[in-house]
Amino acid sequence: MKKLINNPDHVLADSLVGVAAAHPELNVDHINRIIYRGTPTRKDKVALISGGGSGHEPLHGGFVGLGMLDAACAGEVFTSPTPDQMHEATKVADSGAGVLHIVKNYTGDVMNFEMAAEMAEAETGVKVASVVTTDDVAVEDSTWTAGRRGVGITVLLEKIVGAAAEEGRDLAAVTALAKHINDSGRSMGMALTSCTVPAAGKPTFEIPDDMMEIGVGIHGEPGRHRVPLASAAEIAQQLVEPILVDFDFTGSPTIVMLNGMGGSPLIELYVMYGEVAKILQKSGITIARNLVGNYITSLDMAGCSVTLLKVNDELLGLWDAPVNTAGLRWGV
Amino acid sequence: MKKLINNPDHVLADSLVGVAAAHPELNVDHINRIIYRGTPTRKDKVALISGGGSGHEPLHGGFVGLGMLDAACAGEVFTSPTPDQMHEATKVADSGAGVLHIVKNYTGDVMNFEMAAEMAEAETGVKVASVVTTDDVAVEDSTWTAGRRGVGITVLLEKIVGAAAEEGRDLAAVTALAKHINDSGRSMGMALTSCTVPAAGKPTFEIPDDMMEIGVGIHGEPGRHRVPLASAAEIAQQLVEPILVDFDFTGSPTIVMLNGMGGSPLIELYVMYGEVAKILQKSGITIARNLVGNYITSLDMAGCSVTLLKVNDELLGLWDAPVNTAGLRWGV
């Protein structure tokens, strides 16, 4: 295992030291492993909290700041944060307008966020709502979930719902919007290579040099099938087609994210984006906005995923609204 | 070789198709392989042009836009663009106030930019100045250069000098500033793994599982020495110490870039940044601004580099000025 780390057991703690050093505009609670905004949440603003296992950076800590999250809980690599962490984050971020938990659909995350919500409501009376993202069309149930996995839509949701919360919308409205976005988005990913979890010290799965995994999860969990290596154009087809079969993206503008899994260089991600854009154009889908880069990663896995989100003018306005985070920044 | 590409010989062309699709705010000349701004350079603004071999993305195409470059020439992977490309870029970007060529010190790049400057001056009378970056302290001469290699300072220079050009400073002032920045910056890099050039189809160099290359170049060219794998703290020491031996960064604020080589995940880059920040603090160096992420990469190489730039209030003001590019964006 070749990694830029001190000790496989201290990766999260050490990376949070780096986050704190690099981002004086954020607060880092090293005990509870929470990243939260340096300026307290406004009294009239619903607080947005997310979190999950580490190893997917910039998700979620890189999306804390104006226009996105108020706080993010970092679990150990590929391990859910604890209910206590989420409870602490809920307390630190709540300003009285309530808290939305944004939860990727993995069994541990869902269970722990539910417990945290109960703890927070019982202890402090804070109103907590939640949205569970389920955009991955690859598999209906997986080794890590009941139902579909939550992946790339989480990034787009945090941005758009973050803008809505910043506008002062109430908890019910923010929650409804979050559910609408999850319902309107779909993703599919693939891997050329496995990731390596530091504490495991070896690749999560073995894959031959001439094969790739289509529909892979963001922890290296199995996808739909393992097939021979193919061209970028064919890979794009294998990612986009299942998405379009699952949901109709014609007739409205669409936001497209071509996301790198962590180990694929940007030049390849642009090759992939070119192929995805061609397919969408042929399918009569209008790309209104796009992201190309590493946004929800799987450590050092080589590969990529595609996320589509059907939007309208209102959602595009929220997308374009100012955001000031380590991972996404514009308008400020 | 596992890559998200169509054909090893078409990577650059295909990636430019993706860049054009993803960035409607930019112009892409697919024949001459030039990325330039969608809105013409203002009459009173010195135009900034850079370029070099591809495979270092987001450098340089990802830094075209308000507050940074006016145009970037993309060579084949790890291969200098031709003088004709640079000549075309010079013509397309010049608005009458002259053009600054920002050239990383590699023999082919330097020679070709010189020829392009002569061609442009002879043909159209455009005034061309140039700056050659030479910030890599690893080696005095290398397999690819006479003198030190140009690496990470190029990113910081393009940002700061871009802001100065945007202010309307003339060609002499912009050129002097660029040289000052190169003189005030130092870098050092390392690799855990080799990169793989698509057209070669195999790793550029072989390195055992228990070794790393300290002082590596951005094309995988040899560094100072090959040593056993070490902790992030020890790696940080091996990168920062040669920089501090070479240049005195005490007494003024410093901009620090912890740059990923392309294959190292962000969580590891933050671990590294934390260690670099600790060393700088102990050395009495004040970090005024920082970047952590992939800015000047080497395809899929795992590893990182550190760049330090000594600045003052004027340079920090230029650093903080608005920038609107795919790779760096703030204030807009």
Side-chain angles (χ1 to χ4, degrees), chain A residues 1-6 10-12 14-19 21-24 54-55 57-58 77 190-193 207-212 229-235 262-275 277-278 290 292 294 297 299-300 302-304 326 329-332, chain B residues 1-6 10-12 14-19 21-24 54-55 57-58 77 190-193 207-212 229-235 262-275 277-278 290 292 294 297 299-300 302-304 326 329-332:
Chain A
M1 177 176 63
K2 290 187 137 177
K3 290 188 181 290
L4 302 166
I5 61 176
N6 288 312
H10 300 165
V11 175
L12 173 56
D14 290 349
S15 79
L16 289 177
V17 169
V19 168
H23 301 291
S54 294
E57 291 69 22
V77 171
M190 59 80 59
L192 294 172
T193 68
I207 185 164
D209 283 348
D210 58 349
M211 301 291 279
M212 59 183 180
L229 280 184
S231 69
E234 288 160 353
I235 292 170
S264 283
L266 194 53
I267 192 170
E268 296 180 28
L269 301 184
Y270 274 111
V271 171
M272 283 300 305
Y273 183 76
E275 299 300 337
K278 278 182 216 166
N290 70 83
V292 180
N294 294 332
T297 59
L299 294 168
D300 51 353
C304 68
R329 184 185 293 124
W330 57 72
V332 287
Chain B
M1 177 177 64
K2 288 186 141 180
K3 289 187 181 289
L4 301 166
I5 61 175
N6 289 312
H10 300 165
V11 175
L12 173 55
D14 290 348
S15 80
L16 289 176
V17 169
V19 169
H23 301 292
S54 294
E57 291 71 22
V77 172
M190 59 79 60
L192 295 172
T193 69
I207 184 163
D209 283 349
D210 58 349
M211 301 290 281
M212 60 183 180
L229 279 184
S231 69
E234 288 160 355
I235 293 170
S264 283
L266 194 54
I267 192 169
E268 296 179 28
L269 301 184
Y270 275 110
V271 171
M272 284 299 306
Y273 184 76
E275 299 300 337
K278 277 181 218 166
N290 70 82
V292 181
N294 294 331
T297 60
L299 294 169
D300 51 352
C304 68
R329 184 185 292 124
W330 58 71
V332 287

Side-chain angles (χ1 to χ4, degrees), chain B residues 58-104:
Chain B
L59 187 89
H60 295 277
F63 299 137
V64 174
L66 176 81
M68 282 188 88
L69 299 177
D70 292 85
C73 310
E76 289 293 336
V77 172
F78 293 177
T79 303
S80 174
T82 64
D84 283 342
Q85 281 178 274
M86 299 160 176
H87 180 201
E88 283 298 324
T90 303
K91 285 194 291 186
V92 84
D94 178 47
S95 68
V99 176
L100 176 66
H101 287 174
I102 300 171
V103 187
K104 301 192 301 301

Side-chain angles (χ1 to χ4, degrees), chain B residues 3-154:
Chain B
K3 289 187 181 289
L4 301 166
I5 61 175
N6 289 312
N7 177 321
D9 297 329
H10 300 165
V11 175
L12 173 55
D14 290 348
S15 80
L16 289 176
V17 169
V19 169
H23 301 292
E25 73 279 11
L26 298 174
N27 284 319
V28 178
D29 174 345
H30 295 277
I31 306 297
N32 291 300
R33 293 167 173 185
I34 302 166
I35 297 172
Y36 59 103
R37 297 194 196 183
T39 46
T41 302
R42 291 195 326 264
K43 282 294 167 205
D44 62 336
K45 195 189 99 62
V46 170
L48 265 53
I49 295 179
S50 193
S54 294
H56 307 302
E57 291 71 22
L59 187 89
H60 295 277
F63 299 137
V64 174
L66 176 81
M68 282 188 88
L69 299 177
D70 292 85
C73 310
E76 289 293 336
V77 172
F78 293 177
T79 303
S80 174
T82 64
D84 283 342
Q85 281 178 274
M86 299 160 176
H87 180 201
E88 283 298 324
T90 303
K91 285 194 291 186
V92 84
D94 178 47
S95 68
V99 176
L100 176 66
H101 287 174
I102 300 171
V103 187
K104 301 192 301 301
N105 188 32
Y106 298 97
T107 306
D109 290 351
V110 172
M111 190 175 66
N112 290 352
F113 266 111
E114 278 176 8
M115 285 181 62
E118 288 168 14
M119 289 160 71
E121 286 172 340
E123 187 181 306
T124 58
V126 53
K127 286 179 66 181
V128 179
S130 81
V131 60
V132 177
T133 58
T134 55
D135 55 311
D136 188 343
V137 302
V139 291
E140 289 304 322
D141 294 296
S142 79
T143 45
W144 291 55
T145 58
R148 290 181 171 185
R149 301 175 297 213
V151 288
I153 199 66
T154 318

Side-chain angles (χ1 to χ4, degrees), chain B residues 186-252:
Chain B
R186 297 291 188 277
S187 297
M188 180 92 170
M190 59 79 60
L192 295 172
T193 69
S194 176
C195 47
T196 297
V197 176
K202 60 183 178 54
T204 302
F205 62 89
E206 295 294 331
I207 184 163
D209 283 349
D210 58 349
M211 301 290 281
M212 60 183 180
E213 180 82 23
I214 297 290
V216 74
I218 56 170
H219 313 94
E221 64 267 38
R224 283 196 181 186
H225 38 234
R226 192 163 282 193
V227 297
L229 279 184
S231 69
E234 288 160 355
I235 293 170
Q237 193 66 43
Q238 293 188 47
L239 296 182
V240 173
E241 193 174 277
I243 290 174
L244 300 188
V245 164
D246 202 77
F247 191 82
D248 181 6
F249 285 91
T250 57
S252 297

